[in-house]
Amino acid sequence: MLPPNPTTPPDDTWRIGDTVLHSRFLLGTAGYPSPQALQDAIVASGSQVLTLGLKRTLALPGGGDNGFVQIIRDTARARGAHLLPNTAGCRSAREAVTLAHMARELLGTHWIKLEVVGDEQTLQPDPFELVDAARQLVADGFEVLPYCTDDLVSGQRLVDAGCRVLMPWAAPIGSGLGLLNPWALRTLRARLPGVTLIVDAGLGAPSHAAAALELGFDAVLLNSAVSQSRDPVGMAAAFRDAVAGGRAGFRAGLMATSDVAIATTPVGGQPFVLL
């Protein structure tokens, strides 16, 4: 396994299911300019969890194999990282369940990032199909990490279905808009204190990742902000450091906000002289 990030306190671990992790930065593997750029970005990120979308990866023209899955498997093995296949592109619970079983057979993991999209323009998850698929996959022995919105009630229904991890969006996939509704995310964190929460989708800058960790979220997952940057390796390192900084700030305790100015050096009513 990867050693802890040197900036991470040794006791600051978290879990996906029964697996203990040190890095709070999950990295997607799509859209990199080259396999080497992908591999270098993975190293720079320090990530212990790599995601890949099998539906799009396997749907190659003519049914050929470009070796992408094997590259990811080899890289993960060399880094001691875990693979998190996802059901991106699925539009129904039945389709997602079928693909999840294929992923488990192909990659040998019971982890699945569950995606069931309900709207083509926003790629917003379908909450009804998502819960149906989650319930079935949990019963089938999967550790289900559902990609969901920041709606509290939808999140509660997924937890009721057996999910121990939720992956709410910050903004629509690939938008780079950052945390559009911090209030909803804070509410999720406050109302689901025992659930592992990973902010997924819409993060475009390292500062967005830091903000998510400052809210008390356990981790972030992103892809496009790294893979589509001018320097994927440099950006992966920037997000790694931002995640560490955001987590450190949360642990240290952020100052309370105020609508009015508060003097940092209070002035007493009586003068005094230091002798």
Side-chain angles (χ1 to χ4, degrees):
M1 296 297 297
L2 290 172
N5 186 312
T7 62
T8 302
D11 61 336
D12 188 28
T13 59
W14 65 294
R15 293 175 180 269
I16 292 180
D18 300 322
T19 300
V20 177
L21 299 167
H22 299 282
S23 171
R24 295 173 181 270
F25 179 14
L26 288 69
L27 187 64
T29 56
Y32 287 80
S34 70
Q36 188 62 54
L38 168 59
Q39 292 171 322
D40 292 344
I42 290 171
V43 173
S45 73
S47 178
Q48 293 176 282
V49 180
L50 308 175
T51 68
L52 69 162
L54 289 183
K55 187 176 179 67
R56 295 192 175 101
T57 300
L58 298 179
L60 299 174
D65 180 8
N66 64 1
F68 178 77
V69 172
Q70 190 59 48
I71 290 172
I72 300 303
R73 294 178 70 172
D74 291 345
T75 303
R77 186 179 300 113
R79 296 290 299 161
H82 302 270
L83 292 179
L84 177 60
N86 68 52
T87 62
C90 290
R91 295 294 186 271
S92 69
R94 181 176 181 180
E95 185 181 13
V97 168
T98 298
L99 187 59
H101 280 271
M102 291 175 60
R104 182 163 65 178
E105 182 175 346
L106 177 64
L107 299 174
T109 178
H110 69 293
W111 287 7
I112 192 73
K113 178 188 171 187
L114 179 61
E115 297 187 37
V116 185
V117 170
D119 180 73
E120 293 293 336
Q121 182 173 353
T122 64
L123 300 181
Q124 181 171 327
D126 183 322
F128 305 102
E129 294 291 312
L130 194 63
V131 170
D132 287 347
R135 185 178 294 111
Q136 180 61 57
L137 289 171
V138 168
D140 292 342
F142 285 85
E143 186 72 53
V144 180
L145 289 73
Y147 165 59
C148 56
T149 66
D150 53 14
D151 179 72
L152 173 61
V153 175
S154 296
Q156 289 174 323
R157 295 296 175 265
L158 288 164
V159 172
D160 293 341
C163 298
R164 297 189 287 182
V165 181
L166 298 181
M167 305 183 76
W169 68 358
I173 292 173
S175 68
L177 292 171
L179 280 59
L180 289 183
N181 194 343
W183 177 87
L185 293 172
R186 283 196 301 268
T187 301
L188 273 178
R189 181 69 286 175
R191 297 288 293 135
L192 301 174
V195 177
T196 296
L197 297 178
I198 303 170
V199 170
D200 177 20
L203 302 180
S207 58
H208 300 159
L213 271 293
E214 288 169 358
L215 288 177
F217 278 74
D218 296 283
V220 297
L221 188 157
L222 58 97
N223 189 163
S224 299
V226 171
S227 66
Q228 303 304 307
S229 68
R230 291 193 303 271
D231 177 7
V233 178
M235 189 61 75
F239 269 100
R240 177 200 65 208
D241 294 343
V243 167
R247 176 63 182 175
F250 172 75
R251 284 170 57 89
L254 302 178
M255 68 174 290
T257 59
S258 172
D259 291 332
V260 299
I262 300 175
T264 56
T265 306
V267 178
Q270 300 294 327
F272 63 92
V273 177
L274 294 177
L275 299 179

